[in-house]
Amino acid sequence: MAIEDRLDALEARLQAAEDQLAIIRLLSTYGPAVDSGSSREGAALWTEDGVYDVGGMRRAEGHDAIAALYDSQGHRELIFRGSAHLTATPRITVTGDTAEAVGYSFVMLRSHKGWYVWRASANRWTLTRTPDGWRIVERYNRPVDGSEDSHATLRHGAK
């Protein structure tokens, strides 16, 4: 194999690794942003017209609607009680300037007896590369409740 071919292959592998790391970093930024009350920073993880479909309970479209979700009374009650939004390392598939990530997320809550898992969800994120780095186009999640909807969401990660 010629040196140019080897360098091209190495460059492609490095780009793939950097994309995976950037997406993991983006998704891992979510919890600290929303648990700290930084609603605008949390919403900025999405594209301007991004969508967050929250477990079939609510669908927020665009930065303002997503920020409003984090500023809602219900969410504020969670964070002032003591919450930790955790994203498990997802399975990421990058295709050029788009990507899909599938995995679990958990919301931990503090009680007088300690911490407990308040919600476990199956997630599917679609992402795009922007001039500002990777951003979420859509996050779709469903509670891990044994339903076909949660199983279908997770099947995307088994491909």
Side-chain angles (χ1 to χ4, degrees):
M1 181 184 280
I3 191 77
E4 292 81 18
D5 293 336
R6 290 178 63 203
L7 286 174
D8 288 346
L10 181 60
E11 186 176 67
R13 288 178 57 206
L14 178 59
Q15 183 63 58
E18 287 178 342
D19 287 340
Q20 294 266 337
L21 185 56
I23 291 168
I24 290 169
R25 186 179 188 130
L26 174 76
L27 300 181
S28 296
T29 300
Y30 172 78
V34 301
D35 286 327
S36 66
S38 302
S39 60
R40 281 281 159 206
E41 290 80 355
L45 301 174
W46 271 258
T47 58
E48 232 4 93
D49 59 349
V51 175
Y52 185 9
D53 186 332
V54 187
M57 298 182 295
R58 187 168 173 187
R59 184 174 169 89
E61 297 183 29
H63 284 178
D64 290 342
I66 293 169
L69 174 71
Y70 305 134
D71 288 333
S72 71
Q73 180 179 347
H75 192 266
R76 306 288 293 171
E77 287 172 3
L78 287 178
I79 67 173
F80 289 119
R81 180 173 168 186
S83 66
H85 288 72
L86 307 173
T87 302
T89 306
R91 180 182 180 276
I92 301 168
T93 304
V94 177
T95 308
D97 289 337
T98 63
E100 175 184 82
V102 177
Y104 295 98
S105 65
F106 305 93
V107 178
M108 306 290 293
L109 278 183
R110 186 179 60 83
S111 74
H112 65 284
K113 293 183 180 181
W115 292 86
Y116 66 96
V117 176
W118 179 71
R119 181 180 168 98
S121 298
N123 293 262
R124 180 176 180 220
W125 295 267
T126 54
L127 304 107
T128 190
R129 186 189 321 269
T130 73
D132 297 320
W134 286 96
R135 292 294 180 265
I136 302 164
V137 174
E138 181 177 22
R139 178 181 180 188
Y140 176 94
N141 74 14
R142 293 296 180 263
V144 179
D145 59 5
S147 68
E148 177 53 31
D149 208 11
S150 68
H151 293 159
T153 303
L154 292 171
R155 276 189 207 105
H156 287 278
K159 295 178 186 176

